[in-house]
């Protein structure tokens, strides 16, 4: 049986598209969005993947939204409590999901939730990373795939891709260069997890990562225009 994943999105879903196109040995159990107009939902429907919209505005507070989201995800992941293979717990893949989680949520998915962030973490956590990279005069920018923990954009880093910041860059040209790398990096990490080359487990505040072929987790493309 293929390991199950649930992908959470809020927007256009280009990372979701890259994951779908990569023909990974995973079962896309569902794509869930907090926004009904997220473009990625249509991509999922076209691929025959169940979709759900859980609008955070319909809930009184973060805790209640997170609780509802958790119930839906768990329904799709169908994690088996007896299995010794961590892949049987499934993976929650954040692909442009624009919500901050409660610690109850991150704890529940500890060691089985990953995110892609458009910067070379730990630099430039949060929003507007490309403009902030330009404003700071950074010469090397990129993206990171990391394990999600309670602190926003601070979980253990699994893989990174670097891109140059070119003198005539603006926010959109830099974002496009990074996004191209995201679309290669995320499928690569998810494939490694699915094939058992990347093992993540968390106990309390400690996350243990074991990766074979770790050279695959650094993308450093040639300077390009
Ligand atoms: C990406 O830049 C990703 O790094 C960030 O949100 C954006 C999502 O883009 N977390 P898309 O919806 O996958 O096209």
């Amino acid at each position: 049986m293929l390991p199950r994943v649930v992908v959470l999105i809020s927007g256009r879903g280009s990372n979701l598209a890259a994951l779908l196109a990569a023909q990974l040995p995973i079962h896309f159990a569902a794509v869930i969005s907090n926004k009904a107009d997220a473009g990625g939902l249509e991509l999922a429907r076209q691929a025959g993947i169940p979709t759900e919209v859980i609008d955070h505005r319909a809930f009184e507070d973060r805790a209640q939204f997170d609780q509802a989201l958790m119930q839906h995800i768990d329904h799709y992941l169908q994690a088996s409590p007896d299995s010794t293979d961590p892949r049987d717990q499934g993976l929650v893949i954040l692909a442009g999901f624009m919500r901050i989680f409660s610690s109850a949520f991150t704890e529940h998915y500890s060691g089985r939730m990953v995110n892609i962030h458009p910067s070379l973490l730990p630099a430039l956590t949060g929003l507007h990373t490309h403009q902030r990279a330009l404003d700071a005069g950074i010469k090397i920018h990129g993206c990171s795939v990391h394990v999600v923990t309670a602190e926003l954009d601070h979980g253990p880093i699994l893989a990174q891709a670097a891109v140059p910041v070119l003198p005539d860059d603006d926010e959109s040209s830099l974002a496009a260069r990074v996004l191209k790398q995201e679309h290669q990096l995320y499928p690569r990490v998810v494939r490694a997890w699915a094939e058992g080359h990347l093992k993540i487990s968390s106990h309390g505040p400690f996350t243990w990562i074991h990766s074979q072929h770790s050279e695959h987790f650094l993308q450093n493309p040639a300077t390009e225009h």
Side-chain angles (χ1 to χ4, degrees):
M1 213 175 71
L2 294 175
R4 304 171 78 88
V5 307
V6 168
V7 184
L8 304 187
I9 60 167
S10 298
R12 71 192 153 181
S14 70
N15 276 288
L16 170 65
L19 291 165
L20 291 170
Q23 301 195 307
L24 303 169
I26 55 177
H27 174 68
F28 286 91
V31 171
I32 302 178
S33 174
N34 63 320
K35 299 209 165 187
D37 60 356
L41 287 172
E42 190 46 38
L43 295 173
R45 287 186 201 112
Q46 282 166 12
I49 300 165
T51 59
E52 299 261 2
V53 175
I54 308 174
D55 188 338
H56 58 279
R57 293 170 305 184
F59 296 85
E60 244 171 51
D61 55 25
R62 189 180 304 283
Q64 287 185 28
F65 169 70
D66 282 7
Q67 192 61 36
L69 186 57
M70 216 186 278
Q71 276 166 12
H72 282 79
I73 295 171
D74 287 353
H75 164 76
Y76 284 108
L77 287 184
Q78 296 172 0
S80 138
D82 304 327
S83 169
T84 51
D85 185 336
R87 286 174 295 183
D88 292 341
Q89 303 305 309
L91 190 68
V92 179
I93 300 177
L94 306 181
F97 190 65
M98 303 302 282
R99 296 286 306 162
I100 293 174
F101 296 118
S102 59
S103 54
F105 189 93
T106 52
E107 213 162 280
H108 184 73
Y109 296 107
S110 155
R112 53 194 180 113
M113 178 156 62
V114 292
N115 182 41
I116 188 154
H117 180 77
S119 80
L120 290 175
L121 291 172
L124 302 173
T125 59
L127 296 173
H128 311 300
T129 55
H130 308 304
Q131 187 58 52
R132 286 161 58 209
L134 290 168
D135 293 346
I138 284 174
K139 302 298 178 216
I140 298 175
H141 185 41
C143 56
S144 309
V145 177
H146 67 95
V147 182
V148 178
T149 57
E151 199 179 348
L152 182 70
D153 300 331
H154 270 83
I157 294 164
L158 296 172
Q160 292 188 309
V163 303
V165 180
L166 301 176
D168 53 354
D169 267 332
D170 60 16
E171 189 178 9
S172 74
S173 63
L174 185 55
R177 193 174 305 119
V178 172
L179 196 61
K180 197 170 155 194
Q181 296 304 314
E182 291 185 35
H183 294 164
Q184 294 175 18
L185 194 69
Y186 220 0
R188 188 176 278 190
V189 172
V190 175
R191 181 183 296 282
W193 171 80
E195 291 179 348
H197 302 310
L198 171 66
K199 294 182 181 128
I200 313 163
S201 68
S202 283
H203 302 286
F206 302 107
T207 302
W208 176 83
I209 297 168
H210 174 72
S211 65
Q212 291 165 303
H213 314 301
S214 54
E215 71 278 9
H216 293 155
F217 300 119
L218 174 64
Q219 276 175 210
N220 191 8
T223 305
E224 55 182 46
H225 293 267

